[in-house]
Amino acid sequence: MSRTAMRFRLADSFPAELREEWQKLLRIEDDRERRTQLEAWIDLGHGVCHLKDERIARLVTDALRKFDGTRYRLIAFTIMPNHVHVLFEVGEVPMAEIVRSWKQFTATQANKLLQRKGPFWQADYWDTFMRDVDHEERSIRYIQNNPVKAGLVKEWQQWPWTFVRNND
């Protein structure tokens, strides 16, 4: 069993009209600094931010929870206005299959609810294998505090789309 933190984002979270801004960030040579700057940029909430819609946030929450305990074990997640962070433990079902399932189902259902067509999620995702307990604890703190850092709430418990599993 391996634990992985990942982020996937809406298709329009890096809008073409702001290409010059985000391409500057991609040219930052230091990997850690580039990642930090990109995270801060995505937290600004660029794009339509369909995940602000309670119906869509609930749809994604329900999809993440659907096979918790059978195909995977959720550790933490937060649904931001234009992206999602998830930390989960992978079992028999490959991680790529789990993510594909989440994204495919939610994209189809969200497009129906929003009466729209076209790509909903960006095709790729960013994932990080948890090296040890400290790395996992830092990832959980990052996930739960992302809405606070983005200025959406004062305390992480106030954000309705955050889940952190108790130590069970």
Side-chain angles (χ1 to χ4, degrees):
M1 299 264 202
S2 66
R3 292 184 175 191
T4 302
M6 73 169 29
R7 180 194 69 222
F8 50 99
R9 57 191 172 84
L10 294 177
D12 70 346
S13 61
F14 278 65
E17 63 270 13
L18 298 175
R19 181 180 307 259
E20 190 175 313
E21 278 186 43
W22 56 262
Q23 282 190 327
K24 284 179 189 174
L25 300 176
L26 294 174
R27 289 191 291 269
I28 296 172
E29 289 188 27
D30 180 83
D31 187 52
R32 181 181 215 136
E33 179 63 19
R34 181 177 55 251
R35 225 174 322 143
T36 300
Q37 292 295 324
L38 285 168
E39 284 289 339
W41 197 86
I42 200 168
D43 283 342
L44 294 173
H46 296 292
V48 177
C49 295
H50 291 300
L51 299 174
K52 277 198 229 178
D53 184 324
E54 184 176 327
R55 300 170 303 159
I56 308 304
R58 185 166 312 288
L59 170 73
V60 174
T61 297
D62 292 347
L64 294 174
R65 291 178 180 267
K66 175 82 173 165
F67 294 106
D68 180 25
T70 57
R71 293 185 186 173
Y72 49 83
R73 184 170 181 265
L74 288 173
I75 309 300
F77 69 79
T78 195
I79 300 167
M80 299 293 289
N82 65 357
H83 65 285
V84 176
H85 291 279
V86 185
L87 173 61
F88 63 110
E89 186 173 78
V90 178
E92 304 271 328
V93 179
M95 180 188 71
E97 188 177 319
I98 293 166
V99 178
R100 183 174 48 252
S101 173
W102 286 338
K103 290 171 72 177
Q104 190 172 46
F105 175 78
T106 57
T108 301
Q109 297 304 312
N111 278 341
K112 284 180 187 175
L113 283 169
L114 297 167
Q115 299 179 348
R116 66 179 295 276
K117 292 182 185 211
F120 187 75
W121 297 109
Q122 183 69 32
D124 63 352
Y125 55 87
W126 176 80
D127 63 291
T128 303
F129 174 76
M130 295 293 103
R131 295 181 301 275
D132 54 36
V133 173
D134 290 339
H135 187 202
E136 184 174 319
E137 287 173 357
R138 283 192 312 275
S139 295
I140 291 169
R141 281 192 305 274
Y142 180 88
I143 289 169
Q144 71 187 30
N145 287 309
N146 196 217
V148 175
K149 187 177 70 123
L152 300 171
V153 290
K154 291 190 187 294
E155 298 193 25
W156 75 267
Q157 297 90 338
Q158 297 171 315
W159 190 245
W161 312 114
T162 297
F163 164 81
V164 178
R165 184 177 297 280
N166 295 327
N167 292 331
D168 52 4

